[in-house]
Amino acid sequence: MGYALSTTVNQPFEPVLYAARSALVEEGFGVLTEIDLAATLKAKLDVDIPAQVILGACRPPLAYAAVQAEPSIGLLLPCNVVVRAIDDTTTMVEAMDPEVMVTMTGNENLAPVAADARERLTAALAALTT
C-alpha cells in the first residue's frame, strides 16, 4: 500500500500553493499550520531546496471522530499536505493517504473516518488540475 495521494499540476509553485489552500477550505479543512520548509532549511542549515511548504490541514469533525475511535491518533493529525516545486512550471501536491491510519493502528473503527478524509483530500487534489 502506498502512503500518499498526489497530483502534479502544470503551473508554478505560488499559484498552486494558493489554490491548494483554497481547495482544502472548499473540502471543509482548515489550515492550522504552515511550514515553509525551503525557508527553514535555508535559515537553519544554509542549504537550498526547491520551494516546498507543508500545510497542516484539519477538519475538526473528522479529528474528533478519529480521537473517539483511537485516542492516540493525534500522533497522525493534522493531515499534512505538501506543495513542492518540481521546476519553474510544475508543482507536486501530496497528502498522506488517510487509509494509513487504519493500517498503522489496526483499528477498523477508523475506517469510516479515513474514507471520508480520503474522499475530501482526493477531491481537493483533483480540483487543482481542473
Side-chain angles (χ1 to χ4, degrees), residues 3-94:
Y3 64 92
L5 306 172
S6 65
T7 191
T8 301
V9 183
N10 294 319
Q11 292 182 34
F13 175 80
E14 287 296 332
V16 175
L17 178 59
Y18 179 83
R21 286 188 201 107
S22 297
L24 288 166
V25 168
E26 285 297 315
E27 290 301 322
F29 291 94
V31 177
L32 302 178
T33 60
E34 190 165 322
I35 300 167
D36 184 333
L37 191 56
T40 299
L41 294 179
K42 182 65 175 176
K44 301 292 183 181
L45 301 175
D46 196 27
V47 296
D48 294 305
I49 66 168
Q52 186 168 158
V53 171
I54 303 168
L55 303 174
C58 180
R59 178 166 165 76
L62 290 175
Y64 178 70
V67 169
Q68 294 303 301
E70 179 73 36
S72 294
I73 203 65
L75 293 165
L76 301 175
L77 299 176
C79 298
N80 283 336
V81 177
V82 177
V83 181
R84 63 183 169 91
I86 302 298
D87 57 36
D88 290 343
T89 61
T90 310
T91 305
M92 172 76 71
V93 183
E94 301 172 295

